[in-house]
Amino acid sequence: MQNGTDKLFVDQPWLDPEAEPFVKIQSLTKTFGSFTAVSSVDLEIYEGELFSLLGGSGCGKSTLLRMLAGFDPPTSGNIFIDGVDMAGVPPYQRPVNMMFQSYALFPHMTVEQNVAYGLKQDRVPKDKIAERVDQMLSIVELSQFAKRKPHQLSGGQRQRVALARALVKNPKVLLLDEPLGALDKRLREQTQFELMNIQERLGITFIVVTHDQEEAMTLSSRIAVMDQGRFSQIGTPTDIYEYPETRFVANFIGSANMFEGRVKENGADYVIVQGVGSDVSFYIDHSTAVRENTAVWVALRPEKITVSASAPEDSADYNFVEGVVDDIGYLGNFSIYKIRLDNGRIIEITHPNQTRPKHGRHLVEWEDKVYLSWAPHSPVLLTK
Amino acid sequence: MRSRIQSKLQSAELWQAFIIAVPYIWLLIFFLIPFFIVLKISFAEYILASPPFSKLFRLADTGAMYMTLIFDNFVYLWEDDLYLNTYLNSLQISITSTILCLLVGYPIAYGIARATPTAKKILLLMVILPFWTSFLLRVYAWIGLLADQGTINNFLIWIGIIDEPIKMLYTDFAVYVGIVYTYLPFMILPLFASIEKLDMTLHEAAADLGSRPFTTFRTITIPLTMPGIIAGSLLVFIPATGEFVIPDLLGGGNVLMIGKVLYSEFNSNQDWPIASAVAVVLLILLVVPMMIYQKYQAKESSGE
C-alpha cells in the first residue's frame, strides 16, 4: 500500500478489479405467485462495507435481505458469502445475523439472556458467554440494564439490545432491516453515527435495508437504489446524488427539477439540450453517447441553481432563465423558493440562509422578478 | 354543575358496582353457600332419618348452642384403602389425560393459529362443533365404537388384522379415550389464543441466532405460550379428576374414579356425610395446586 491507487482501493474496494467480493449475488430472483419481488439482480459487496439497499415499500429490498438471511429461499439464482454457496443452508447455519425491524427481542428473557441466546446455541462455555455478553453490552452502553426485561426499556435501548444480540456472534455479515425506523427523528440522527462507529470499530460487513434516503446517505459506503425488484443504480452516496443514472434515482434521492428536452448539439466534451415547451436550454459539460435530436431529460438539483434579483451581466444563451417568485418556504437553515417561468412551469430552488433576513426581507420576495442560472457541470443528462 | 357531574360519576360507579356484584351474588348463593352446606354435612354423622345426617348445631335447654364436629368421616376416608386408591387412581387418570390432551391439542392449536384467516374460522368451528350434540350422546356413541362387537373391532376383523375382538370398552383405555375426546376443545382453545398472539419474527430471530427448530420450540415457543398451556391444562385436569359419566359409561365397574365413589355413597349408600367428606377432600386436592400456581405467577409478574 505504497502508492495512491492502493490507498484508494482500501477505501473503495469495488474499484479494484482484483478484489474478491465478500457477498456475491448472482441473477437472484424471487417470485411470490405471479408477483416478482426480486427480478434477476446481481450484486457484489466487499468486506467491511456498510452497504444500503434503498427503495420504497414493495421494491423488493426486504425480500432480498430475507433471502440473504435464509428465511425465504430464492426462486432462482445464487448467493455466496465469503465464497460459500448459501443454497440450501438453513438460517441457523448461516454466518450472518439479522437485526429485525421490530427488534424481535425475546420478551420472556432479560437483556443479558437475549444477548447470550446466540452464543448458547453454539455451545460456547458459560464463562466465555458471560464475558462476551458483558463486552457487547458495554459497546452498546447498556451494562446497567443487563437484568431488565425488554418491556422495561425505551425504544432506543431496545434497538441497542437488538444490535448487541445480532453482533455478539461476530457474524461475517450483519443484516439490518430498517434499523432506525422505529426511533424518533432526533434519536435516529444520533444513532446513525453510533451505528457507523460500531461498524467501523468491529469491521463487520453491514447490509442495511432502508426507505429513508437521508439514513442511507449518511451511513453507507455504497447504496443500491431498488425499484420494482431491480437495482436502478449502485454507487457511493455522492455518485447516486450527483450522477443519477435514471430519472427514478434523480427523483427518489433528494429532489430534482426535471426538464424534458432534445439534444441539439453533441460535442466532444459538451452537450446542448433544448428544453421542450420552454426556452430553457442547457449547456452540459459532460458528454454521453446520445445522437442529436433524441429525446432526453435533464435533472437539475434545487441547490445548484443561483437566484438573483438582477440580470447577470454576461447573460448567456444557455443555463439561464427568468421567472417570478411564486412561493417561499422558510425552513430556518435554508429556504425553498418556487419560481414560476413564463410558460407556467415551476422550478424549485433551495438557498441557504447564510445571513439573517434584513428587516424581515428574504433574498427575494413574492412576485419578484428573478433570474436563475447554473454552472455547466450542474445539470445531469438522463436518457433512461 | 359540579354536583351534577359528581352525581353522574357516582351513578356510574354504582352501575359498575352493580354489574360486578351480580355474578358474585350468583356465585355466593349457588356455589359458596352450597359448599358450606356440604362442608357442614361432612362433619356430621350418618343417621337413619331424613335428611340422613345428624345436626351440627344444637340448642340446649339452657339456651346455649352446641356445635358437634365429627371427624370420623375424614378418618374413615384415610383408613379405608378404597378411598385413597380411588383418589390416586383419579389423579393418575386425570393427569395422564391432561398430558395426552396437551400432546394432541398443541399441534392442532398451532396448526389452527397458523392457518389462513378463512381456514382458521372453519377449523375453530370444527373444534367447537361437538358441543352442538349432547355430551351424553357422544359418550354413548363411543360405546358403539369401542364395544367387542363395535365398529372398530368389526372393521379390524373384516380387514383381517385380528381374529378376536380387542377388549377396549370397560378398560382404562376407554376412559382415556373418552376424557381426551371430551376435553380436547378446552385444551385447544386457550392454547390457540396464546399461540395466535405469538410473534412469528421471534422464531426467525431464534433461527437467525443459530437455534434449530426444536430448540426454538423449547426455548421460545413453549415459554411464551405457557399461559395457554396452564389454562388449558387446568380446564382439562379439574373436571377430569371429578369426572363421573365417562368412567361410569366407558369404564364400567373396572375403573375406579372418585366421581363414581361419590355417586354411589350419595345415592346407593345414602351416606351423605361420607359423600360430603369425599367431595371436600376432592376440592382441596384441586384447589391447592391452583393456589400454588397463582402464587408462583404473582411472584413472576411482580418481581425481577
Side-chain angles (χ1 to χ4, degrees):
Chain A
M1 292 189 207
Q2 259 132 41
N3 57 43
T5 27
D6 278 359
K7 176 79 185 78
L8 190 72
F9 289 164
V10 167
D11 291 340
Q12 302 178 300
W14 51 90
L15 297 176
D16 184 353
E18 278 162 29
E20 267 298 311
F22 197 62
V23 177
K24 199 167 172 182
I25 293 169
Q26 285 176 334
S27 52
L28 196 67
T29 300
K30 178 73 188 180
T31 56
F32 296 102
S34 61
F35 174 70
T36 306
V38 174
S39 174
S40 189
V41 298
D42 293 282
L43 182 63
E44 292 181 344
I45 297 171
Y46 295 85
E47 196 166 5
E49 268 202 84
L50 205 165
F51 194 94
S52 289
L53 298 166
L54 175 63
S57 61
C59 73
K61 57 189 193 304
S62 291
T63 308
L64 185 53
L65 201 73
R66 290 177 60 79
M67 284 194 279
L68 281 164
F71 299 137
D72 290 336
T75 309
S76 65
N78 298 89
I79 297 170
F80 296 90
I81 295 172
D82 200 11
V84 181
D85 189 352
M86 287 292 125
V89 179
Y92 52 87
Q93 283 171 345
R94 294 199 178 201
V96 303
N97 283 129
M98 179 145 158
M99 193 183 133
F100 291 81
Q101 183 172 10
S102 62
Y103 308 146
L105 299 178
F106 305 130
H108 58 305
M109 297 184 191
T110 61
V111 167
E112 210 170 40
Q113 288 167 329
N114 262 285
V115 177
Y117 189 86
L119 298 172
K120 265 193 195 161
Q121 306 313 314
D122 289 358
R123 314 221 181 289
V124 176
K126 269 195 177 158
D127 49 330
K128 282 267 169 59
I129 291 182
E131 191 183 311
R132 180 87 181 121
V133 168
D134 280 351
Q135 188 191 350
M136 281 320 301
L137 287 181
S138 79
I139 287 179
V140 297
E141 294 168 16
L142 280 176
S143 301
Q144 69 270 41
F145 298 102
K147 304 281 183 215
R148 294 231 187 142
K149 292 261 178 84
H151 68 92
Q152 296 166 313
L153 301 176
S154 72
Q157 288 165 339
R158 271 181 234 168
Q159 192 259 3
R160 295 196 325 255
V161 178
L163 184 64
R165 187 179 72 175
L167 283 169
V168 76
K169 290 179 81 175
N170 215 357
K172 286 184 174 169
V173 180
L174 183 70
L175 309 170
L176 301 98
D177 190 0
E178 303 277 0
L180 310 173
L183 305 179
D184 63 58
K185 193 172 184 289
R186 193 169 284 274
L187 196 58
R188 194 157 63 218
E189 280 166 8
Q190 183 193 334
T191 314
Q192 269 174 15
F193 289 98
E194 276 175 21
L195 207 58
M196 282 164 76
N197 288 338
I198 289 173
Q199 194 267 341
E200 223 161 275
R201 189 166 149 194
L202 300 175
I204 291 173
T205 310
F206 277 29
I207 302 179
V208 179
V209 153
T210 178
H211 69 277
D212 184 330
Q213 49 131 331
E214 208 175 298
E215 191 175 304
M217 299 282 283
T218 337
L219 289 173
S220 320
S221 59
R222 283 191 304 154
I223 298 170
V225 183
M226 271 189 99
D227 180 34
Q228 292 172 17
R230 294 169 198 276
F231 294 134
S232 301
Q233 190 174 351
I234 301 170
T236 62
T238 320
D239 282 345
I240 301 263
Y241 187 79
E242 302 291 352
Y243 305 100
E245 286 167 3
T246 67
R247 283 191 298 154
F248 174 79
V249 175
N251 275 319
F252 189 75
I253 311 290
S255 52
N257 296 294
M258 201 65 71
F259 299 89
E260 222 180 318
R262 281 186 181 281
V263 177
K264 202 170 162 192
E265 216 180 307
N266 191 356
D269 56 356
Y270 71 95
V271 180
I272 294 172
V273 176
Q274 176 63 49
V276 172
S278 67
D279 50 2
V280 192
S281 43
F282 300 88
Y283 179 96
I284 305 165
D285 74 349
H286 56 268
S287 178
T288 35
V290 280
R291 262 189 261 154
E292 274 169 33
N293 218 24
T294 38
V296 291
W297 289 270
V298 174
L300 195 53
R301 296 284 184 202
E303 76 281 4
K304 293 197 164 51
I305 302 172
T306 312
V307 60
S308 62
S310 51
E313 283 171 20
D314 52 342
S315 68
D317 296 337
Y318 313 112
N319 298 350
F320 169 78
V321 73
E322 295 176 16
V324 173
V325 178
D326 193 62
D327 214 343
I328 301 174
Y330 176 71
L331 273 79
N333 51 349
F334 67 90
S335 294
I336 298 172
Y337 299 94
K338 299 210 169 174
I339 313 295
R340 192 175 62 245
L341 305 188
D342 291 343
N343 62 0
R345 147 131 224 204
I346 301 282
I347 291 186
E348 197 177 288
I349 66 169
T350 52
H351 196 272
N353 293 321
Q354 228 168 359
T355 52
R356 284 182 178 153
K358 275 178 195 149
H359 316 297
R361 245 191 83 87
H362 291 94
L363 174 72
V364 289
E365 282 294 345
W366 274 269
E367 298 304 323
D368 277 1
K369 188 169 173 62
V370 291
Y371 303 86
L372 308 180
S373 61
W374 51 89
H377 60 254
S378 295
V380 183
L381 186 67
L382 301 167
T383 54
K384 285 187 277 191
Chain B
M1 184 68 184
R2 191 166 163 196
S3 67
R4 218 156 95 195
I5 293 172
Q6 253 175 358
S7 70
K8 255 199 172 160
L9 272 175
Q10 269 173 354
S11 74
E13 276 168 22
L14 275 175
W15 258 112
Q16 202 181 10
F18 175 72
I19 289 182
I20 296 169
V22 168
Y24 274 89
I25 291 169
W26 179 275
L27 286 175
L28 182 80
I29 296 173
F30 295 106
F31 185 80
L32 203 61
I33 293 175
F35 169 72
F36 279 110
I37 295 172
V38 169
L39 191 68
K40 191 189 87 153
I41 298 173
S42 73
F43 287 110
E45 197 178 11
Y46 174 65
I47 51 169
L48 266 172
S50 180
F53 54 87
S54 62
K55 284 205 170 82
L56 206 57
F57 301 102
R58 199 161 38 83
L59 223 60
D61 299 337
T62 54
M65 198 162 92
Y66 289 93
M67 188 170 82
T68 330
L69 285 183
I70 299 167
F71 288 90
D72 285 5
N73 300 319
F74 293 97
V75 176
Y76 181 62
L77 282 190
W78 178 251
E79 282 176 347
D80 191 334
D81 281 350
L82 170 80
Y83 297 104
L84 197 64
N85 286 339
T86 312
Y87 276 119
L88 289 178
N89 204 39
S90 287
L91 283 178
Q92 192 207 323
I93 288 178
S94 60
I95 289 170
T96 313
S97 308
T98 306
I99 293 168
L100 287 173
C101 274
L102 191 58
L103 292 179
V104 176
Y106 204 100
I108 297 175
Y110 200 95
I112 298 173
R114 292 286 163 259
T116 61
T118 344
K120 204 182 278 185
K121 275 183 204 151
I122 295 168
L123 291 169
L124 274 176
L125 191 73
M126 284 167 70
V127 170
I128 305 165
L129 210 59
F131 291 119
W132 264 250
T133 318
S134 149
F135 159 68
L136 215 54
L137 218 58
R138 285 182 283 134
V139 177
Y140 271 115
W142 275 106
I143 297 180
L145 288 170
L146 297 171
D148 288 355
Q149 302 301 319
T151 316
I152 295 172
N153 271 320
N154 283 347
F155 177 73
L156 290 178
I157 290 171
W158 180 66
I159 60 168
I161 290 183
I162 51 167
D163 299 323
E164 295 275 297
I166 304 169
K167 179 141 186 66
M168 291 185 287
L169 193 62
Y170 307 135
T171 62
D172 281 6
F173 172 75
V175 175
Y176 284 128
V177 167
I179 292 179
V180 170
Y181 163 77
T182 307
Y183 291 108
L184 196 57
F186 296 105
M187 180 62 90
I188 291 176
L189 294 176
L191 280 176
F192 165 79
S194 68
I195 294 170
E196 202 193 21
K197 275 192 290 182
L198 197 64
D199 179 4
M200 283 309 282
T201 50
L202 294 180
H203 288 186
E204 288 184 346
D208 184 69
L209 291 165
S211 161
R212 284 157 184 280
F214 182 73
T215 316
T216 305
F217 182 71
R218 188 170 54 80
T219 56
I220 308 296
T221 318
I222 290 186
L224 288 176
T225 54
M226 199 44 99
I229 293 173
I230 287 167
S233 298
L234 287 177
L235 284 179
V236 174
F237 173 74
I238 292 170
T241 310
E243 182 57 54
F244 163 72
V245 175
I246 296 168
D248 192 53
L249 292 180
L250 300 179
N254 304 324
V255 180
L256 271 184
M257 279 191 79
I258 205 68
K260 273 176 67 181
V261 170
L262 192 61
Y263 177 84
S264 60
E265 290 294 356
F266 193 82
N267 277 317
S268 320
N269 291 355
Q270 289 279 314
D271 193 341
W272 288 21
I274 282 284
S276 301
V278 169
V280 169
V281 172
L282 179 63
L283 188 85
I284 293 167
L285 272 180
L286 296 176
V287 164
V288 167
M290 266 188 81
M291 278 167 60
I292 292 171
Y293 165 68
Q294 289 234 324
K295 206 167 177 185
Y296 157 82
Q297 213 182 23
K299 209 163 126 190
E300 184 86 322
S301 60
S302 71
E304 296 136 285

